[in-house]
């Protein structure tokens, strides 16, 4: 099973495929090789990188995804495999846009997201009565929950802001944008390989340069990125490049609970997309699964 996210930081590097390996060549650096079968995603975070046609076809044949970043390490696009129909019944149910099923699925996505947010705060010995009440009542006002959460989260990681603005050019917002974009790319990949259309959302609506189902699926996973950032802000090097490296390592090494066993985070994204496909196949929200963060570290 593929389990690596490859970050390319070498300006002017050349990526090619040779005999089942991805080969990275860069000036004044030793050639690097990685088995093609081990790759889940490639993140291009450097200028002047050349991607050969054999590299791209090899990546896409293995159902991996390429994420492209601008000069500020901010993702600006991705190259993904072609969509496919895996289960005709799931496809038909999804395209029928079942209102009641989608509402239940969205409710469960928000429940797990809110629960995970409370557990991120708990790692900093913080509580949000508003989020806890929403969990008790099973009613989630997403905007108000988010506002209360960010008011506590940002000061807890040593930042003066008390609200989240993805357009602000500040380190925490840039780092969250980067982490979310990597997460979105992996969600996009998983939805495609499990036969779901990223363009048809559970809750989010289609808009320019957005795939609604990607943003639906990633909602319960967002607090995992926020937990990574809270941990990262305690490290000596808090540069954007160091954060990009941490994301790659954490996606490979961090594990989440799945019943009686644990999964790597990347595999958990796959499992969640698969459970969403089964929910559409069975026309029931019960098969859907998303990971819950543990109560303590």
């Amino acid at each position: 099973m593929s389990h690596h996210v490859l970050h390319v930081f070498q300006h002017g590097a050349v990526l090619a495929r040779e005999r089942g390996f991805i080969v990275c060549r860069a000036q004044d650096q030793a050639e690097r090789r990685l088995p093609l079968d081990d790759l889940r995603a490639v993140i291009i975070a450097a200028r002047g990188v050349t991607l050969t046609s054999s590299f791209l076809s090899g990546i896409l044949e293995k159902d991996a995804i390429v994420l492209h970043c601008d000069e500020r390490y901010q993702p600006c696009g991705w190259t993904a495999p072609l969509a496919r129909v895996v289960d005709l019944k799931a496809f038909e149910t999804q395209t029928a846009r079942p209102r009641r099923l989608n509402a239940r699925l969205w409710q469960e996505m928000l429940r797990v997201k809110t629960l995970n947010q409370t557990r991120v705060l708990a790692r900093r010995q913080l509580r949000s009565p508003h989020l806890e009440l929403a969990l008790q009542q099973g009613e989630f006002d997403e905007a108000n929950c988010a506002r209360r959460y960010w008011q506590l989260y940002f000061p807890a990681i040593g930042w003066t802001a008390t609200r989240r603005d993805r357009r602000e050019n500040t380190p925490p917002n840039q780092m969250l944008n980067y982490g979310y974009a990597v997460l979105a790319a992996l969600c996009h990949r998983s939805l495609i390989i499990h036969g779901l259309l990223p363009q048809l959302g559970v809750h989010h609506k289609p808009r320019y340069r957005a795939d609604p189902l990607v943003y639906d699926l990633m909602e319960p996973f967002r607090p995992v990125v926020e937990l990574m950032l809270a941990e990262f802000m305690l490290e000596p090097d808090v540069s954007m490049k160091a954060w990009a490296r941490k994301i790659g390592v954490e996606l490979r090494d961090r594990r989440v609970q799945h019943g009686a066993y644990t999964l790597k985070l990347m595999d958990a994204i796959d499992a969640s997309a698969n459970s969403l496909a089964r929910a559409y196949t069975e026309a029931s929200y019960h098969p859907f699964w998303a990971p819950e963060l543990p109560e303590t570290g």
Side-chain angles (χ1 to χ4, degrees):
M1 179 177 290
S2 54
H3 59 276
H4 281 293
V5 174
L6 173 64
H7 279 77
V8 180
F9 294 110
Q10 294 85 9
H11 299 306
V14 177
L15 294 178
R17 176 178 61 169
E18 291 182 4
R19 300 177 181 176
F21 287 84
I22 291 302
V23 181
C24 181
R25 300 185 179 98
Q27 190 174 10
D28 301 326
Q29 293 195 21
E31 179 179 285
R32 297 183 180 182
R33 288 174 173 259
L34 188 67
L36 183 58
D37 287 339
D38 285 355
L39 281 175
R40 185 74 55 92
V42 178
I43 301 175
I44 310 298
R47 297 187 299 276
V49 175
T50 299
L51 310 179
T52 67
S53 60
S54 62
F55 162 80
L56 284 173
S57 62
I59 287 291
L60 298 177
E61 286 167 6
K62 295 297 182 179
D63 286 326
I65 196 164
V66 182
L67 184 63
H68 307 274
C69 300
D70 62 21
E71 294 182 356
R72 297 175 299 157
Y73 296 104
Q74 295 303 298
C76 55
W78 56 51
T79 303
L82 288 174
R84 79 288 306 270
V85 175
V86 175
D87 185 312
L88 184 58
K89 190 169 183 180
F91 178 80
E92 289 176 341
T93 303
Q94 186 198 8
T95 54
R97 308 295 294 275
R99 182 175 299 180
R100 182 173 298 181
L101 174 58
N102 281 341
R104 295 299 299 270
L105 286 168
W106 180 240
Q107 179 82 356
E108 178 63 9
M109 290 170 177
L110 283 184
R111 184 194 69 80
V112 179
K113 177 184 180 180
T114 306
L115 177 65
N116 286 341
Q117 286 176 328
T118 65
R119 291 180 176 175
V120 171
L121 294 176
R123 301 292 180 95
R124 291 294 180 268
Q125 289 76 53
L126 294 171
R127 292 180 56 195
S128 170
H130 186 87
L131 268 62
E132 292 172 1
L133 181 62
L135 286 167
Q136 291 171 9
Q137 296 179 341
E139 297 179 2
F140 305 97
D141 182 338
E142 188 183 8
N144 275 328
C145 284
R147 181 169 56 85
R148 303 296 182 92
Y149 173 69
W150 294 120
Q151 286 173 349
L152 293 169
Y153 174 83
F154 278 126
I157 67 169
W159 195 251
T160 55
T162 57
R163 68 186 183 94
R164 158 81 173 145
D165 187 342
R166 62 183 177 85
R167 294 166 295 183
E168 282 191 7
N169 191 26
T170 57
N173 281 297
Q174 285 185 330
M175 289 175 179
L176 287 173
N177 287 344
Y178 181 88
Y180 294 152
V182 175
L183 177 63
L186 291 170
C187 287
H188 188 276
R189 169 198 172 273
S190 293
L191 290 169
I192 286 174
I193 67 173
H194 289 292
L196 295 175
L197 293 176
Q199 296 80 14
L200 294 181
V202 168
H203 172 77
H204 286 90
K205 300 296 188 291
R207 59 186 176 86
Y208 177 61
R209 297 178 69 182
D211 293 306
L213 194 59
V214 172
Y215 293 96
D216 291 330
L217 182 65
M218 66 185 284
E219 288 299 327
F221 290 89
R222 286 179 184 268
V224 182
V225 174
E226 293 143 21
L227 177 59
M228 291 179 192
L229 181 59
E231 296 167 351
F232 175 74
M233 295 301 285
L234 300 175
E235 297 179 8
D237 182 2
V238 292
S239 66
M240 192 66 195
K241 189 171 183 179
W243 170 241
R245 291 187 187 278
K246 179 177 176 65
I247 287 291
V249 171
E250 290 285 335
L251 286 169
R252 183 191 67 206
D253 295 343
R254 187 176 290 264
R255 305 188 75 89
V256 295
Q257 197 70 31
H258 186 281
Y261 56 94
T262 63
L263 286 176
K264 292 181 180 180
L265 183 57
M266 285 194 295
D267 295 331
I269 294 170
D270 242 10
S272 190
N274 183 42
S275 75
L276 181 59
R278 285 190 289 110
Y280 279 123
T281 299
E282 299 175 24
S284 168
Y285 80 97
H286 292 291
F288 178 72
W289 172 86
E292 299 178 0
L293 289 170
E295 293 188 56
T296 56

